[in-house]
Amino acid sequence: MKWLCTICNYVHEGEAPPDRCPVCGAGKDAFVPLVEKKPESPRDEPDTLEKVRDAARDRMRGLCAAYPWCDGAPGNICQREAYGGPIGMGGAGTGSGFHANVSALDRVKLEMRVVGERMAKVDTGWDFFGTRLSMPVMAASTSGIQGWGVMDEAEFNEAVVHGCVDAGTIGWRGDTHFYDVGSHGGIEAIRGAAGKGVQIFKPRENAVLMRLVGEALGAGCLAVGVDLDGFGSTNFARANKRLERKTAQEIRELVDSCGKVPFVCKGVMCPEDAEACVDAGARAIVVSNHGGRVLDGTPGVAEVVEGVADAVGGSGVLLGADGGVRTGYDVLRMLALGADFVLVGRDVVRAAVGGGQSGVRMQMARLAEVLGRAMTMVGCSKVSDIGRQVLSQA
């Protein structure tokens, strides 16, 4: 059997991994089984999420080790200092913002409720601006995978969008420096799914954004929006593509350009920014630190979502949370803190790379399954029952 060191890519042969890597000194925990055979195509039909993860690990060697627990820890292969190069699956700087997303959620504890009336069948269903979904969980607005050399960009976008549709939910699509007006990979993928998706753009100049918004509306997108924190994108900076901080007035112009289609402001981490977006007409706010990829040293999303929820409560906007979500238990935690819906990024990327559309479908279905079980254990039969009463005060 062969074992791969996820820190330096050393390959060890033996029945078990070595206690220490002879090359970099990493401990036994840094080793994972090495998958020898690559699937011929990301559209292979893996029958388990374990096989999807193994295939993703093989394809993304050197970028992501597809650890069983993705936490952005300093020793992980994704957290090597990029020194100005692409950061791949990691976070900015030391990756502390990435790691904080996971550790903040881990500190949120749930309270079991096991005595009471028998519960009806748990319903994880949820409405997103009039569209019924299987759960309040959607794929986050990722993009740029082609630049890593692991998967064709169009194939990636299609896998995410169609895999989510197969699981009864929707995929959000992102924006990257090699997308442009008239040739935008995210918009085209959503168009191919009859508009079942949300398109999020980087904060380009408003004149360009309004043209892109027009294309997204023509594709039938359920909602459109902007990654407000995206002006810190290292990929756009390396490509000399201009991004800019948005004013409240510029957000209002974008909102107005959408007509009746909801506009989303993503990348908000404080109540003041959230209130400004609501005042500008946004109909959804997503609390996110961009996966820890634009600013080192931020708090985890779970640390601030409650404060943002209190600030915009009663305004009629939907509140999303994006960062560190790995399981259905994490989804429940975010909903209990005040989020209306949750976005999942890195796990969906790995599912698409390792298993294409089927991998994404299985990943999202797994989230719904675990969320349903978790709701049962805290005494909630439907999503609207979830509130801060399910959080432990211990």
Side-chain angles (χ1 to χ4, degrees), residues 118-125 372 375-376 378-386:
R118 288 186 176 84
M119 292 172 58
K121 182 179 179 181
V122 168
D123 179 10
T124 62
M375 288 170 60
T376 298
V378 297
C380 296
S381 62
K382 56 186 183 297
V383 172
S384 60
D385 292 338
I386 301 171

Side-chain angles (χ1 to χ4, degrees), residues 13 19 30 42 58 97 125 136 216 223 229-230 280 286 317 322-323 331 341 354 377-378 390:
E13 293 192 36
D19 291 333
D58 194 34
D229 58 353
V286 179
V317 303
D322 170 35
V331 173
F341 64 90
M377 296 306 300
V378 297
V390 310

Side-chain angles (χ1 to χ4, degrees), residues 221-283:
C221 292
L222 299 176
V224 297
V226 171
D227 261 328
L228 294 175
D229 58 353
F231 71 85
S233 167
T234 56
N235 289 331
F236 271 78
R238 292 173 67 248
N240 293 316
K241 294 292 184 70
R242 180 181 173 183
L243 298 175
E244 56 189 22
R245 186 186 185 97
K246 291 296 171 191
T247 66
Q249 179 57 38
E250 287 171 324
I251 294 173
R252 169 61 70 179
E253 291 173 358
L254 295 169
V255 169
D256 291 343
S257 73
C258 292
K260 295 183 179 180
V261 175
F263 187 82
V264 181
C265 286
K266 186 173 179 288
V268 170
M269 285 290 285
C270 66
E272 294 81 5
D273 279 355
E275 290 169 346
C277 292
V278 172
D279 291 344
R283 292 178 59 191

Side-chain angles (χ1 to χ4, degrees), residues 51-281:
K51 291 180 180 179
V52 170
R53 187 172 63 198
D54 288 345
R57 180 183 297 122
D58 194 34
R59 290 179 176 278
M60 302 175 77
R61 194 176 303 176
L63 288 168
C64 172
Y67 299 100
W69 189 241
C70 170
D71 63 356
N76 289 2
I77 193 170
C78 62
Q79 281 310 134
R80 293 173 173 173
E81 173 59 60
Y83 297 111
I87 61 177
M89 290 282 277
T94 65
S96 66
F98 172 4
H99 184 62
N101 282 340
V102 178
S103 60
L105 262 177
D106 189 51
R107 290 192 295 272
V108 177
K109 304 304 179 184
L110 300 169
E111 184 164 275
M112 289 198 300
R113 300 289 180 92
V114 298
V115 176
E117 297 296 323
R118 288 186 176 84
M119 292 172 58
K121 182 179 179 181
V122 168
D123 179 10
T124 62
W126 184 75
D127 287 323
F128 181 71
F129 294 117
T131 297
R132 187 68 176 173
L133 304 181
S134 61
M135 58 180 167
V137 187
M138 295 169 275
S141 50
T142 50
S143 62
I145 304 306
Q146 182 171 298
W148 302 350
V150 299
M151 190 175 187
D152 175 75
E153 189 76 8
E155 198 167 22
F156 170 72
N157 282 325
E158 290 170 6
V160 174
V161 172
H162 290 280
C164 284
V165 170
D166 290 346
T169 185
I170 58 175
W172 294 33
R173 290 296 76 224
D175 193 15
T176 192
H177 62 94
F178 54 82
Y179 292 175
D180 212 338
V181 178
S183 59
H184 197 284
I187 294 173
E188 291 312 307
I190 295 174
R191 189 192 309 277
K196 294 179 180 177
V198 173
Q199 179 59 57
I200 301 294
F201 299 108
K202 288 292 188 295
R204 304 170 186 243
E205 298 174 75
N206 260 28
V208 176
L209 276 177
M210 286 193 217
R211 293 168 63 193
L212 287 167
V213 166
E215 292 186 3
L217 298 181
C221 292
L222 299 176
V224 297
V226 171
D227 261 328
L228 294 175
D229 58 353
F231 71 85
S233 167
T234 56
N235 289 331
F236 271 78
R238 292 173 67 248
N240 293 316
K241 294 292 184 70
R242 180 181 173 183
L243 298 175
E244 56 189 22
R245 186 186 185 97
K246 291 296 171 191
T247 66
Q249 179 57 38
E250 287 171 324
I251 294 173
R252 169 61 70 179
E253 291 173 358
L254 295 169
V255 169
D256 291 343
S257 73
C258 292
K260 295 183 179 180
V261 175
F263 187 82
V264 181
C265 286
K266 186 173 179 288
V268 170
M269 285 290 285
C270 66
E272 294 81 5
D273 279 355
E275 290 169 346
C277 292
V278 172
D279 291 344

Side-chain angles (χ1 to χ4, degrees), residues 25-38:
K28 181 182 295 186
D29 290 345
F31 282 82
V32 294
L34 178 63
V35 178
E36 295 281 21
K37 184 179 181 297
K38 283 187 179 182

